[in-house]
């Protein structure tokens, strides 16, 4: 019996919730009336409550005899004044709580208005288990109910919630009582309410649904982009799912302080400002794409997660993985020129990176406590899960897959499901054994490497084994949907198979073979003997996605010790010689940056010369200055190449040019962003002060974060100290402080200094930062790749556990050890 699960002897059907937030005292008072169904005679009712004081209540007019709190399990036990018999009943409770500063439950967010005055917003973040911090409730996903919310707010402030506003009347004391329409039947974690000095755009009608952007006062000029993306995606998903949007309105709400990127609250989706308030002129293509991704992701949840919901938190992966998959679909349709599926390779690479560790986990695994649920929000849930969904879609065919999804949503609307319910729907639609295929990908940790080897007869044999960076293996096997392109005397052909045991592709010796040419499979590929050279020299012209996959796989094999660092650098030079695609160069730049980070000072000169010889000609082909009408991705590529040449190649001319660009006001957004990064990485105290001032007066959220993160890159110990201090002294928002500290940990020369600061201020950091950001912040320790720092990190984190991310921390520590070995090999190669 899970002690965190509620009994089912009393279940909710309908909540009437009234809240009175005090934005000056940072408190709230509330009352809730819940229509419940008593399943069997009870003398007590157990529900969830945390950080609340229940002051009184009654069940059908019979006063409670008392309230007992179970703080460990975040529950309240209501002692009834008389036993309750089976049947419908109505529970009334009065309660109060604090508007906390922890970015969870019912909390406060602040911003400075145009007059320089600090203003306060009261807002919510309930997923996974924080509705219980706003009102007593049955806070589990399968205990769905409807919600009718009333907010009593000061005159002059705006209030929004999940339902449409249906009434607003004065209370006679300088406040208004704002009532909202009942929601659909849904889980507690999907309810939201926001009160504060807010404004809203005029609604845009999308197939009958009014869509608005709600934002802090004075920021309406940054809403047009999100309205356009939101309108497109809402219409796109109604068509894709063949089900109307299930709410009565849709508000996208920008919140200044927000622990996550966004939250799919029904009808009232909340976002970090950077992901909703966008100036297309000063933002880069990547910044706009990220905003579009997140908007699409949250709107996909309106169906997949909200309309149909997992029964328990072990199913978080399915709603998040599917929404990630859907964001790619929608954004690819919104801007085909962005080649969104190609860019997904970078996210997928990050999931591969975690999944190659011994400390990885299955995508779906048991969840007992709220801390377990918090630990589910990681790369494996989102990116590996989405990659598995994409692999399945391509295996079944896009149309059969979509039809199965539609059937699943229709059958389970307003209800809760297990993962196998989706597999069964897809199996019925496609006539394929989906459960068998997907079980090994979802319930088993890790992923395979598929090795292509040529036998004595010339036949190509494919085999699989688990891929791990530590080169350990086991008997794990997958149902691997393999696609292989094979070239011979005749035209190239495509072979498709589900790989389990080793299999020969062809008895004849092909000219070349490429495994996973569409990059849909979530597996690594290793080419033995001369097969890689035959592919590169005698194979077809590889498209950008195929080149990307080769780079990504070759680097993974290098990290795992299957290939030498020298081999990888020679391979990178070969690819870079004529490479002109953004995604490929991003991966190349990332891997070359990793090598530079680990290189000894004496070996950097030779490496920099090689990087300069790769990036310089590529930048010459693209040109320093934008051309009218050029593709957005070309501008982004230019920025990547400028950074790589100036920082990785230490090119004096490029550094000087970046200084000139930073001094101008009319530089292209991608070039301007690159210039800031270069000046920070090569700059001095005066440059630091300039960027710090730009951060403080940044006119958009994107520029604010750009300048803030640049402060982590300076190569000066005193400046590092200033940046570290601002992360915990209130200068930086708590939502961003974890990213700043991680960026400092990743600083090549001053990461150890940052680690010393974090260990010294550990208690302050844990008190100030949202709990969810601590595991992400600690991802930076993997950059501390010396044996001494690895030992010190492990010792410290063993003595200071992070319960909400214990497995994620184990992954960081393991990757740190992998990097210790890689660093040794890098320095042996470069000298």
């Amino acid at each position: 019996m899970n002690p965190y699960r509620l009994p089912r002897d009393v279940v909710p059907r309908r909540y009437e919730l009234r809240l009175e937030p005090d934005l000056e005292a940072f408190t709230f008072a509330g009352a809730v009336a819940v229509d419940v169904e008593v399943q069997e005679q009870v003398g007590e009712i157990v529900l969830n409550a945390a950080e609340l004081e229940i002051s009184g209540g009654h069940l059908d007019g019979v006063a409670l005899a008392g309230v007992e709190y179970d703080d460990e399990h975040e529950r309240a036990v209501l002692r009834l004044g008389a036993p309750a018999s089976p049947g419908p009943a109505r529970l009334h409770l009065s309660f109060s709580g604090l508007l906390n500063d922890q970015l969870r439950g019912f909390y406060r967010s602040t911003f400075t208005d145009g007059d320089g005055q600090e203003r306060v917003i009261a807002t919510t973040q309930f997923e996974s288990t924080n509705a219980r911090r706003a009102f007593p409730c049955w806070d589990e996903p399968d205990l769905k109910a409807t919600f009718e919310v009333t907010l009593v707010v000061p005159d002059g402030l705006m209030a929004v919630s999940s339902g449409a506003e249906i009434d607003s009347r004065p209370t006679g004391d300088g406040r208004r009582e704002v009532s909202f329409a009942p929601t659909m039947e849904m889980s507690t974690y999907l309810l939201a309410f926001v009160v504060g000095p807010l404004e809203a755009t005029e609604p845009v009608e999308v197939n009958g649904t009014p869509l608005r952007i709600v934002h802090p006062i004075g920021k309406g000029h940054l809403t047009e982009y999100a309205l356009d993306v939101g309108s497109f995606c809402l219409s796109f998903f109604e068509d894709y799912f063949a089900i109307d949007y299930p709410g009565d309105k849709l508000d996208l709400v920008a919140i200044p302080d927000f622990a996550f990127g966004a939250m799919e609250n029904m009808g009232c989706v909340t976002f970090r400002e950077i992901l909703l308030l966008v100036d297309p002129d000063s933002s880069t293509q990547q910044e706009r794409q990220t905003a579009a991704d997140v908007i699409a992701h949250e709107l996909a949840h309106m169906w997949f997660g909200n309309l149909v919901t997992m029964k328990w938190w072990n199913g978080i992966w399915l709603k998040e993985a599917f929404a990630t998959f859907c964001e790619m679909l929608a954004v690819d349709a919104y801007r085909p020129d962005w080649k969104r599926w190609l860019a997904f390779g970078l996210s997928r690479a990050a999931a591969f990176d975690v999944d190659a560790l011994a400390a990885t986990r299955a995508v779906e695994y048991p969840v007992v406590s709220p801390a377990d649920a918090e630990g589910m929000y990681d790369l494996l849930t989102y990116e590996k899960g989405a990659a598995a969904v994409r692999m399945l879609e391509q295996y079944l065919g896009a149309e059969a897959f979509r039809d199965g999804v539609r059937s699943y949503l229709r059958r389970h609307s307003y209800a809760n499901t297990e993962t196998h319910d989706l597999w069964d729907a897809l199996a019925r639609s496609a006539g394929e054994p989906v459960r068998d295929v997907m079980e090994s990908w979802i319930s088993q940790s890790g992923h395979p490497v598929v090795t292509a080897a040529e036998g004595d007869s010339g036949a190509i044999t494919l085999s699989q084994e688990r891929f791990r960076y530590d080169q350990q293996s086991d008997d794990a096997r997958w149902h691997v949907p393999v696609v292989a392109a094979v070239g011979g005397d005749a035209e190239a052909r495509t072979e498709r198979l589900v790989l389990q045991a080793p299999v020969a592709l062809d008895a004849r010796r092909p000219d070349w073979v490429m495994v996973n040419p569409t990059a849909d499979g979530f597996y690594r590929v290793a080419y033995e003997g001369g097969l890689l050279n035959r592919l590169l020299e005698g194979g077809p012209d590889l498209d950008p996605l195929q080149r990307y996959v080769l780079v990504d796989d070759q680097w993974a094999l290098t990290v795992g010790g299957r290939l030498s660092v020298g081999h990888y650098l020679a391979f990178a030079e070969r690819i870079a010689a004529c490479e002109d695609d953004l995604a490929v160069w991003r991966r190349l730049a990332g891997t070359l940056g990793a090598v530079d980070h680990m290189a000894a000072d004496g070996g950097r000169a030779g490496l920099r010369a090689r990087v300069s010889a790769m990036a310089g000609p590529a930048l010459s082909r693209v040109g320093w200055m934008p051309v009218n009408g050029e593709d957005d991705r070309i501008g982004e590529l230019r920025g990547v190449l400028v950074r790589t040449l100036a920082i990785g190649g230490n090119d004096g001319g490029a550094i000087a040019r970046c200084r000139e660009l930073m001094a101008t006001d009319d530089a292209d957004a991608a070039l301007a962003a690159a210039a800031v990064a270069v000046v920070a990485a090569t700059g001095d105290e005066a440059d630091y002060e300039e960027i710090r001032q730009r951060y403080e007066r940044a006119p958009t959220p994107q520029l604010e974060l750009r300048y803030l993160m640049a402060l982590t890159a300076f190569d000066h110990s005193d400046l590092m100290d200033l940046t570290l201090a601002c992360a915990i002294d209130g200068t930086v928002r708590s939502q961003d402080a974890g990213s700043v500290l991680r960026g400092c940990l990743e600083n090549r020369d001053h990461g150890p200094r940052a680690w010393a600061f974090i260990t010294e201020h550990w208690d302050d950091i844990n008190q100030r930062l949202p709990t969810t950001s601590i595991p992400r912040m600690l991802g930076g320790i993997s950059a501390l790749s010396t044996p001494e720092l690895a030992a010190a990190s492990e010792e410290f984190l063993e003595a200071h556990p992070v319960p909400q991310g214990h497995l994620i921390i184990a992954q960081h520590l393991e990757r740190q050890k992998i990097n210790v070995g890689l660093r040794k090999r890098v320095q042996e190669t470069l000298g």
Side-chain angles (χ1 to χ4, degrees):
M1 179 71 178
N2 183 347
Y4 293 94
R5 298 298 300 268
L6 294 172
R8 288 330 195 239
D9 47 16
V10 178
V11 295
R13 302 300 183 202
R14 173 174 170 263
Y15 294 83
E16 290 182 12
L17 178 62
R18 178 186 175 90
L19 287 162
E20 301 181 24
D22 186 331
L23 275 62
E24 295 180 353
F26 304 147
T27 61
F28 62 91
V32 63
V34 192
D35 292 334
V36 300
E37 190 74 27
V38 181
Q39 309 283 18
E40 58 186 63
Q41 182 168 302
V42 295
E44 64 183 30
I45 295 175
V46 183
L47 44 60
N48 292 115
E51 302 167 10
L52 296 175
E53 183 69 30
I54 299 175
S55 54
H58 62 85
L59 182 72
D60 286 344
V62 179
L64 299 180
V67 179
E68 297 177 8
Y69 298 96
D70 176 358
D71 293 338
E72 180 183 356
H73 300 105
E74 300 182 341
R75 303 196 300 195
V77 180
L78 310 178
R79 304 295 183 192
L80 302 182
S85 300
R90 190 168 175 84
L91 174 68
H92 292 260
L93 296 173
S94 300
F95 58 93
S96 59
L98 295 177
L99 291 172
N100 69 76
D101 61 356
Q102 297 299 302
L103 312 191
R104 65 179 185 177
F106 198 15
Y107 73 91
R108 65 184 186 267
S109 173
T110 62
F111 71 99
T112 302
D113 65 18
D115 296 325
Q117 299 297 310
E118 183 175 86
R119 307 297 296 273
V120 179
I121 295 170
T123 185
T124 57
Q125 171 57 40
F126 290 163
E127 190 177 8
S128 297
T129 57
N130 292 303
R132 63 192 65 178
R133 288 177 167 78
F135 61 103
C137 58
W138 284 258
D139 199 14
E140 296 185 10
D142 66 324
L143 294 171
K144 288 190 169 186
T146 61
F147 299 84
E148 298 175 34
V149 175
T150 297
L151 299 173
V152 181
V153 304
D155 289 337
L157 298 186
M158 184 178 185
V160 293
S161 186
S162 292
E165 181 179 324
I166 56 175
D167 190 32
S168 178
R169 61 185 64 185
T171 58
D173 60 357
R175 298 184 300 169
R176 290 179 301 114
E177 182 180 271
V178 185
S179 300
F180 300 91
T183 69
M184 70 177 190
E185 192 173 348
M186 66 186 195
S187 307
T188 47
Y189 80 90
L190 295 171
L191 182 65
F193 29 88
V194 186
V195 177
L198 304 167
E199 299 170 327
T201 63
E202 289 298 317
V204 173
E205 292 288 327
V206 182
N207 302 329
T209 298
L211 169 68
R212 302 185 301 178
I213 308 298
V214 179
H215 55 88
I217 55 174
K219 298 185 178 182
H221 61 292
L222 299 175
T223 59
E224 185 176 347
Y225 179 78
L227 269 176
D228 187 57
V229 175
S231 299
F232 179 91
C233 291
L234 185 56
S235 180
F236 176 89
F237 288 130
E238 285 191 325
D239 178 68
Y240 185 81
F241 296 127
I243 297 174
D244 291 342
Y245 168 69
D248 57 3
K249 58 90 179 180
L250 181 57
D251 289 332
L252 310 183
V253 187
I255 305 296
D257 299 282
F258 199 78
F260 294 90
M263 175 60 209
E264 68 268 21
N265 313 301
M266 191 66 221
C268 186
V269 185
T270 43
F271 294 78
R272 285 194 181 199
E273 288 185 330
I274 195 172
L275 299 171
L276 197 65
L277 304 179
V278 179
D279 173 16
D281 292 332
S282 64
S283 58
T284 67
Q285 181 270 336
Q286 181 60 54
E287 290 164 343
R288 296 193 303 276
Q289 178 180 291
T290 300
D293 285 348
V294 176
I295 293 169
H297 182 105
E298 303 310 323
L299 296 197
H301 274 312
M302 300 300 110
W303 290 265
F304 221 99
N306 296 13
L307 181 64
V308 179
T309 312
M310 69 275 160
K311 285 186 177 179
W312 182 241
W313 298 113
N314 63 303
I316 286 174
W317 84 269
L318 185 58
K319 77 180 182 72
E320 296 300 345
F322 200 89
T324 303
F325 164 80
C326 283
E327 82 186 45
M328 306 298 161
L329 287 179
V331 175
D332 192 52
Y334 177 66
R335 288 295 300 266
D337 56 310
W338 286 352
K339 299 182 180 179
R340 192 61 191 87
W341 283 111
L342 174 53
F344 178 58
L346 289 168
S347 302
R348 197 180 71 144
F352 267 134
D353 200 43
V354 174
D355 208 37
L357 301 172
T360 188
R361 63 166 175 84
V363 173
E364 181 167 314
Y365 76 104
V367 170
V368 176
S369 68
D372 292 338
E374 244 180 67
M376 287 281 285
Y377 297 93
D378 64 2
L379 289 165
L380 298 174
T381 287
Y382 288 80
E383 273 75 23
K384 181 181 178 180
V389 171
R390 172 67 167 178
M391 183 168 62
L392 180 61
E393 182 221 28
Q394 293 298 292
Y395 172 68
L396 299 178
E399 186 173 344
F401 178 86
R402 183 202 61 199
D403 291 345
V405 169
R406 289 175 173 177
S407 173
Y408 166 81
L409 291 173
R410 287 193 300 269
R411 175 175 293 207
H412 300 288
S413 290
Y414 308 103
N416 298 82
T417 62
E418 304 274 12
T419 297
H420 63 74
D421 293 314
L422 177 60
W423 302 155
D424 293 346
L426 292 169
R428 288 191 296 270
S429 173
E432 294 282 353
V434 175
R435 273 209 208 191
D436 293 341
V437 171
M438 294 306 291
E439 183 68 19
S440 62
W441 294 98
I442 302 307
S443 300
Q444 177 175 255
S445 62
H447 61 273
V449 55
V450 174
T451 299
E454 186 176 38
D456 294 339
S457 67
I460 303 297
T461 298
L462 302 183
S463 60
Q464 64 157 302
E465 63 178 317
R466 181 171 178 176
F467 179 73
R468 279 175 40 173
Y469 284 149
D470 62 9
Q471 299 188 53
Q472 301 298 308
S473 194
D474 52 38
D475 58 359
R477 292 295 180 270
W478 289 259
H479 288 72
V480 189
V482 170
V483 177
V486 182
D489 295 334
E491 291 186 1
R493 69 183 189 282
T494 299
E495 294 203 16
R496 301 176 186 273
L497 56 102
V498 176
L499 178 65
Q500 291 178 276
V503 62
L505 286 181
D506 195 327
R508 295 175 289 105
R509 183 182 190 275
D511 293 336
W512 55 267
V513 61
M514 184 173 193
V515 182
N516 202 22
T518 57
D520 297 318
F522 192 79
Y523 53 86
R524 295 296 189 188
V525 178
Y527 297 94
E528 291 196 347
L531 289 178
L532 180 61
N533 279 334
R534 277 161 51 184
L535 173 62
L536 293 175
E537 294 174 358
D541 290 335
L542 302 179
D543 64 34
L545 184 58
Q546 292 166 336
R547 300 194 300 272
Y548 176 92
V549 169
L550 285 178
V551 172
D552 195 36
D553 285 344
Q554 291 288 294
W555 174 248
L557 294 168
T558 302
V559 173
R562 298 183 181 219
L563 297 176
S564 70
V565 174
H567 167 93
Y568 179 76
L569 290 174
F571 169 80
E573 288 169 327
R574 185 173 187 174
I575 293 294
C578 54
E579 186 54 63
D580 59 1
D581 183 78
L582 170 63
V584 183
W585 260 109
R586 275 195 172 133
R587 195 68 188 117
L588 283 170
T591 60
L592 295 170
V595 173
D596 178 74
H597 196 287
M598 297 176 183
D601 290 342
R604 289 186 83 191
L607 176 64
R608 285 171 163 178
R610 296 176 74 172
V611 171
S612 180
M614 287 185 252
L619 181 57
S620 296
R621 293 192 297 270
V622 172
W624 267 90
M625 299 308 296
V627 177
N628 287 336
E630 75 178 9
D631 188 291
D632 277 354
R633 296 179 78 250
I634 296 298
E636 287 293 304
L637 172 61
R638 180 179 295 108
V640 170
L641 292 172
V642 166
R643 282 192 294 270
T644 304
L645 179 61
I647 300 174
N650 195 35
D651 185 278
I655 294 170
R657 191 92 179 251
C658 285
R659 290 189 166 278
E660 295 172 2
L661 286 167
M662 188 168 151
T664 66
D665 295 326
D666 58 352
D668 166 78
L671 266 180
V676 170
V678 170
V679 170
T682 61
D684 57 19
E685 292 87 345
D687 298 316
Y688 184 94
E689 181 60 21
E690 170 66 21
I691 292 176
R692 187 192 64 78
Q693 289 184 17
R694 291 191 183 197
Y695 160 68
E696 291 181 348
R697 60 176 187 264
T700 73
Q702 292 75 30
L703 289 172
E704 180 180 300
L705 187 63
R706 186 185 304 169
Y707 294 131
L708 174 61
M709 294 309 297
L711 297 177
T712 70
F714 280 82
D715 185 17
H716 292 267
S717 58
D718 291 346
L719 301 181
M720 173 59 67
D721 290 344
L722 290 175
T723 303
L724 290 165
C726 79
I728 63 170
D729 67 6
T731 301
V732 175
R733 291 186 182 275
S734 63
Q735 67 172 13
D736 298 321
S739 297
V740 170
L741 292 172
R742 178 168 181 156
C744 292
L745 285 170
E746 292 171 346
N747 185 293
R748 183 186 184 277
D749 294 307
H750 303 290
R753 194 179 192 89
W755 177 242
F757 178 91
I758 288 170
T759 58
E760 182 181 350
H761 296 86
W762 182 253
D763 291 341
D764 290 342
I765 290 169
N766 278 270
Q767 184 176 359
R768 171 167 167 70
L769 270 61
T771 58
T772 54
S773 69
I774 300 298
R776 293 197 295 269
M777 172 195 78
L778 289 170
I781 65 172
S782 64
L784 307 177
S785 54
T786 67
E788 297 78 13
L789 285 168
S793 301
E794 184 171 25
E795 180 180 358
F796 180 84
L797 291 170
E798 184 175 334
H800 301 81
V802 182
Q804 71 274 25
H806 63 93
L807 184 57
I808 297 173
I809 302 305
Q811 292 162 358
H812 296 334
L813 290 169
E814 184 183 352
R815 184 57 207 263
Q816 185 180 26
K817 292 176 182 176
I818 296 295
N819 282 349
V820 169
L822 180 59
R823 180 190 187 95
K824 183 174 184 290
R825 292 164 49 218
V826 165
Q827 294 187 358
E828 288 172 349
T829 301
L830 298 179

